[in-house]
């Protein structure tokens, strides 16, 4: 390793030699960096999971434009929209289809544990609004009290979900009604519910008697092929007289929901702070290690200064140490982080896991912040005065 | 400055501290070190020996007077110029100051690699020769912790000499050595003067080595009070 580094750097790898000289301290330093990495990985994993869980329900539908109430920051939040605006939107020449989307929370009490389904009420006669994979068996929803269940819902036994067929529906009580699960689709547990459920708008209104068919939570619009979404949104904003409504592209609606979850909701803010704390812990650990190392070697550094080595040489040593700590601390950090995320994902059914993006981000962050710690630690080198050696 | 003079000091004064605490440490020092000479600097503690060594060695800024080193005026020289000049000097400290995590060979290589562009193979070969010169060719891969006090000092000497410096500045290099080791180190420095023209300015209290000096200067209270030996100033 020393030879390899010597070839790469064109000089003796003094930083590497210094760090590995005291192996116990080196191991402790690597453990510290790895610990900071794990902290960041877990928090990033939770943040990514929040993002995946937020965007997941948007994947169930296919739409170009979504109209929501002014306070509808998320898909399952806020007031409703008068259906009349759907009819008004259809007056636009590029809008070919519109559908009201109802959203509500349906708890299924299973005697001891309860599964909370984020439930979407849709018009089963408009399959174009439902994504492939979810739309299978959509026609079955035309039967009153029929539902399609999320087979990955938290708390729903796998074997029970696997047995759901139109011929062998799973019947269960919820909201004082007997529902029949006729099919399943792939969703997954999120932060706001244990899973998802799809029903017809009629069944939805039976489950929520206080809701009205004239006021869905959102209005989804599909445009003719080739139509410009942004231009249509602008026209619709002029066309629809209720200026409080949020009229935006379906894509923007999803991204705004995500931004809201990450920056306004406590969970998102907490995860964000978690990442920050992890980064700060890593920064402090690397700084402490490097700073102590510089202090331990002040006399040797002063000797090198006397011999004619300049500031860049010393910066190079400390940066070399920072990179060694960053690189070698990252390896156990990424492995332990991946293990913890996989375990948490298995326990919570949240979409948790190590992604290549995360690994690359944390790796680059580790190297950059380690280098930053190194640059800060070099300030202590000013104390190495070669004149004091005599 | 003659062609043969490595160091010329004229009217050198130096102070430490500021304001009321300002105290003069060097008074009107004149000194010339010729190429290949071996000069011993003696005097009681606090007489200014070390201050003179650090001023000539570009480790302190010259405040008043002139110090010409290898043809360069140090009074008013910038940090980069001083650093560059130090690369042409060899330093031997009372404490060996070897890097604990580098082997003997690697410590000596540091004395070569200070000059940019020296290939690894060349640096390693030079380090091997220097260690051989100080009789440590069988200890090249030893860490300082596994060397005796005398061996460490000899590695420090090899590190100072490996770059073939024009001037070696040594501060009590024999203080921690037994009689034979001390004689070996001084003989080596003398030999370098004779064969390579290396000039040595050595601070010592060690009377054992005085008979080997070309010239002995005695400092007291920041003044050269006695000059003994071949050369004049």
């Amino acid at each position: 390793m020393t030879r390899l580094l010597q070839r790469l750097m064109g000089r003796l790898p003094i930083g590497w030699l210094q760090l590995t000289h005291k192996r116990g301290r080196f191991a402790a330093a690597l453990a510290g960096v790895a610990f900071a990495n794990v902290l960041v990985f877990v928090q990033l994993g939770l943040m990514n999971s929040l993002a995946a869980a937020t965007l997941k329900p948007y994947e169930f539908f296919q739409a170009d434009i979504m109209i929501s109430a002014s306070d509808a920051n998320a898909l399952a939040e806020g007031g409703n929209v008068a259906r009349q605006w759907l009819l008004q939107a259809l007056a636009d020449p590029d809008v070919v289809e519109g559908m009201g989307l109802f959203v509500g929370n349906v708890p299924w009490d299973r005697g001891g544990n309860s599964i909370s389904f984020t439930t979407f009420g849709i018009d089963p006669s408009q399959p174009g609004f439902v994504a492939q994979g979810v739309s299978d068996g959509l026609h079955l929803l035309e039967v009153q009290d029929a539902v399609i269940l999320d087979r990955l819902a938290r708390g729903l036994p796998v074997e029970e979900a696997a047995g759901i067929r139109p011929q062998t529906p799973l019947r269960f009580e919820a909201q004082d009604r007997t529902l029949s699960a006729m099919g399943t689709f792939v969703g997954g547990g999120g932060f706001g519910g244990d899973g998802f459920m799809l029903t017809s708008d009629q069944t939805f209104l039976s489950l929520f008697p206080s809701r009205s068919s004239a006021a869905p939570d959102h209005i989804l619009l599909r445009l003719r092929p080739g139509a410009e979404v942004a231009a249509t949104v602008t026209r619709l904003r002029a066309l629809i007289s209720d200026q409080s409504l949020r009229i935006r592209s379906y894509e923007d609606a999803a991204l705004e929901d995500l931004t809201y979850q990450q920056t306004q909701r406590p969970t998102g803010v907490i995860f964000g702070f978690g990442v920050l704390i992890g980064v700060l812990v890593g920064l402090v650990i690397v700084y402490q290690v490097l700073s102590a190392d510089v202090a331990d070697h002040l006399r040797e550094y002063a000797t090198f200064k006397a011999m004619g080595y300049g500031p860049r040489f010393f910066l190079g040593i400390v940066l070399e140490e920072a990179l060694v700590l960053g690189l070698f601390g990252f390896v156990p950090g990424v492995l332990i982080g991946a293990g913890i995320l996989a375990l948490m994902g298995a326990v919570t059914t949240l979409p948790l896991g190590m992604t290549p993006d995360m690994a690359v981000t944390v790796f680059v962050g580790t190297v950059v912040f380690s280098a930053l710690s190194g640059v800060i630690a070099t300030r202590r080198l000013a104390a190495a005065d070669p004149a004091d050696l005599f | 400055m003659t062609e043969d003079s490595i160091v010329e000091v004229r009217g050198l004064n130096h102070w430490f501290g500021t304001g009321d605490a300002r105290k003069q440490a060097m008074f009107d020092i004149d000194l010339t070190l010729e190429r290949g000479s071996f000069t011993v600097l003696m005097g009681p503690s606090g007489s200014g020996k070390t201050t003179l060594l650090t001023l000539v060695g570009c480790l302190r800024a010259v405040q008043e007077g002139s110090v010409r080193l290898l043809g360069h005026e140090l009074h008013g020289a910038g940090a980069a110029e001083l650093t560059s000049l130090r690369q042409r000097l060899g330093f031997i400290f009372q404490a060996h100051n070897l890097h604990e995590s580098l082997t003997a060979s690697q410590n000596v290589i540091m004395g070569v690699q200070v000059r940019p562009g020296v290939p690894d193979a060349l640096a390693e070969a030079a380090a091997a020769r220097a260690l051989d010169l100080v009789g440590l060719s069988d200890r090249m891969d030893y860490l300082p912790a596994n060397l005796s006090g005398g061996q460490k000092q000899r590695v420090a000497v090899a590190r100072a000499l490996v770059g073939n410096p024009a001037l070696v500045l040594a501060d009590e290099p024999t203080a921690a050595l037994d009689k034979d080791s001390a004689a070996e180190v001084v003989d080596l420095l003398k030999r370098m003067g004779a064969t390579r023209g290396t000039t040595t300015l050595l601070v010592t209290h060690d009377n054992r080595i005085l008979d080997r000096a070309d010239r002995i200067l005695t400092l007291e209270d920041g003044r050269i009070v006695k000059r003994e030996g071949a050369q004049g100033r």
Side-chain angles (χ1 to χ4, degrees):
Chain A
M1 189 67 181
T2 304
R3 280 274 168 199
L4 175 69
L5 290 172
Q6 188 169 355
R7 274 176 185 277
L8 289 173
M9 293 188 293
R11 63 162 173 81
L12 281 173
I14 295 173
W16 163 258
L17 292 167
Q18 266 176 202
L19 285 172
T20 53
H21 182 64
K22 290 179 176 168
R23 290 175 188 223
R25 185 192 279 191
F26 184 45
L30 292 185
V33 176
F35 172 70
N37 268 313
V38 169
L39 271 182
V40 174
F41 273 127
V42 169
Q43 299 299 328
L44 265 185
L46 287 167
M47 271 188 85
N48 283 356
S49 170
L50 178 66
T54 301
L55 296 177
K56 188 73 190 171
Y58 287 92
E59 294 171 10
F60 301 154
F61 306 104
Q62 296 178 139
D64 297 309
I65 292 171
M66 188 161 101
I67 302 175
S68 313
S70 58
D71 60 347
N73 295 310
L75 204 57
E77 267 187 37
N80 42 45
V81 189
R83 184 179 283 276
Q84 70 180 90
W85 304 123
L86 190 160
L87 302 172
Q88 183 81 66
L90 286 170
D92 186 279
D94 282 345
V95 178
V96 294
E97 209 176 359
M99 180 183 82
L101 177 68
F102 295 85
V103 188
N105 207 40
V106 175
W108 173 13
D109 189 353
R110 289 170 57 87
N113 75 317
S114 173
I115 304 176
S116 172
F117 286 104
T118 302
T119 304
F120 297 105
I122 57 163
D123 180 354
S125 67
Q126 292 185 290
F129 280 99
V130 182
Q132 290 278 327
V134 183
S135 60
D136 299 342
L138 201 64
H139 62 283
L140 298 168
L141 294 184
E142 287 174 1
V143 177
Q144 183 65 29
D145 291 336
V147 300
I148 300 177
L149 276 190
D150 174 1
R151 63 172 166 268
L152 297 184
R154 196 181 297 132
L156 182 65
V158 176
E159 58 279 9
E160 207 169 317
I164 297 174
R165 298 272 192 285
Q167 302 80 6
T168 55
L170 172 70
R171 291 200 168 80
F172 61 99
E173 300 284 326
Q175 305 279 83
D176 295 328
R177 297 189 72 85
T178 302
L179 301 176
S180 301
M182 311 291 276
T184 60
F185 65 101
V186 174
F191 289 85
D194 298 316
F196 301 96
M197 184 160 79
L198 221 54
T199 73
S200 69
D201 42 9
Q202 294 309 309
T203 301
F204 184 90
L205 293 170
S206 309
L207 289 167
F208 297 92
S210 61
R211 297 292 303 272
S212 159
S213 62
D217 291 275
H218 306 278
I219 291 170
L220 302 182
L221 301 175
R222 282 167 59 81
L223 306 186
R224 68 169 175 78
E228 275 194 35
V229 176
T232 312
V233 165
T234 306
R235 286 200 304 276
L236 288 176
R237 282 176 182 158
L239 186 68
I240 293 174
S241 58
D242 185 350
Q243 293 299 305
S244 72
L245 292 179
R246 301 175 78 172
I247 304 171
R248 56 228 154 121
S249 71
Y250 189 65
E251 209 168 87
D252 284 349
L255 292 176
E256 283 173 21
D257 190 349
L258 180 59
T259 305
Y260 170 72
Q261 300 290 345
Q262 287 181 332
T263 61
Q264 306 291 316
R265 295 290 293 268
T267 38
V269 175
I270 287 167
F271 297 156
F273 266 108
V275 173
L276 187 68
I277 297 294
V279 169
L280 287 177
V281 166
L283 200 69
V284 169
I285 288 172
V286 175
Y287 172 73
Q288 282 297 334
V289 171
L290 295 180
S291 184
D293 192 72
V294 168
D296 282 355
H297 293 97
L298 272 185
R299 205 167 174 79
E300 283 106 327
Y301 288 151
T303 306
F304 288 147
K305 269 191 186 177
M307 289 163 66
Y309 284 97
R312 284 179 63 182
F313 169 77
F314 299 105
L315 182 63
I317 293 179
V318 180
L319 284 179
E320 177 193 331
E321 290 190 320
L323 292 181
V324 166
L325 288 174
L327 290 172
F328 284 77
F330 175 79
V331 175
V334 73
L335 294 175
I336 297 168
I340 289 176
L341 286 175
L343 187 68
M344 286 171 68
V347 171
T348 62
T349 73
L350 286 168
L352 278 162
M354 181 70 69
T355 64
D357 280 359
M358 269 169 71
V360 170
T361 303
V362 173
F363 175 70
V364 172
T366 303
V367 169
V368 168
F369 282 104
S370 295
L372 184 65
S373 298
V375 171
I376 298 169
T378 53
R379 290 188 312 167
R380 297 195 70 161
L381 276 171
D385 184 357
D388 294 340
L389 292 171
F390 288 101
Chain B
M1 190 166 185
T2 66
E3 259 186 31
D4 266 357
S5 56
I6 297 295
V7 177
E8 267 192 14
V9 180
R10 296 290 176 265
L12 178 68
N13 291 295
H14 196 80
W15 290 264
F16 286 112
T18 54
D20 291 341
R22 194 165 193 244
K23 188 172 182 298
Q24 189 162 1
M26 303 253 79
F27 294 86
D28 199 25
I29 300 289
D30 284 350
L31 171 68
T32 301
L33 298 180
E34 301 295 339
R35 180 178 153 81
S37 63
F38 188 95
T39 304
V40 166
L41 208 51
M42 296 192 70
S45 294
S47 59
K49 306 183 298 292
T50 301
T51 304
L52 181 58
L53 210 63
T54 55
L55 284 164
V56 171
C58 310
L59 298 174
R60 289 187 200 283
V62 175
Q63 297 168 344
E64 189 178 292
S66 165
V67 176
R68 289 189 71 80
L69 172 69
L70 303 169
H72 294 260
E73 175 58 55
L74 302 189
H75 190 179
E81 188 182 359
L82 294 177
T83 300
S84 171
L85 276 170
R86 287 204 298 270
Q87 293 175 359
R88 298 167 66 183
L89 310 180
F91 290 93
I92 306 171
F93 309 98
Q94 186 173 352
H96 52 80
N97 288 349
L98 297 181
H99 200 298
E100 60 169 357
S101 46
L102 304 185
T103 63
S105 171
Q106 288 167 335
N107 266 292
V108 177
I109 284 173
M110 293 307 294
V112 191
Q113 282 193 337
V114 68
R115 294 176 192 174
V118 179
D120 288 350
L122 205 66
E124 285 168 17
R129 275 199 305 277
L131 283 170
D132 188 39
L133 204 63
V134 296
L136 289 174
S137 52
D138 59 339
R139 296 285 189 275
M140 288 188 27
D141 295 327
Y142 280 49
L143 287 170
N146 300 323
L147 296 172
S148 69
Q151 287 171 333
K152 286 177 197 169
Q153 194 59 294
R154 279 192 276 161
V155 174
V157 170
R159 181 179 62 186
L161 297 179
V162 69
N164 202 15
L167 172 66
V168 171
L169 297 167
D171 186 29
E172 302 276 10
T174 58
L177 304 181
D178 58 42
K179 187 184 170 193
D180 291 341
S181 299
E184 272 178 34
V185 167
V186 173
D187 286 344
L188 181 62
L189 291 170
K190 285 277 293 179
R191 205 160 61 241
M192 296 303 285
T195 57
R196 295 186 189 174
T198 306
T199 306
T200 300
L201 178 60
L202 185 147
V203 168
T204 189
H205 288 102
D206 190 346
N207 291 324
R208 298 174 299 181
I209 60 174
L210 295 182
D211 58 340
R212 286 173 164 84
D214 297 329
R215 189 161 55 142
I216 302 167
L217 304 175
T218 306
L219 261 83
E220 275 182 26
D221 298 326
R223 293 180 173 87
I224 298 178
V225 295
K226 196 170 167 189
R227 297 172 191 264
E228 299 168 81
Q231 297 167 67
R233 284 189 107 134

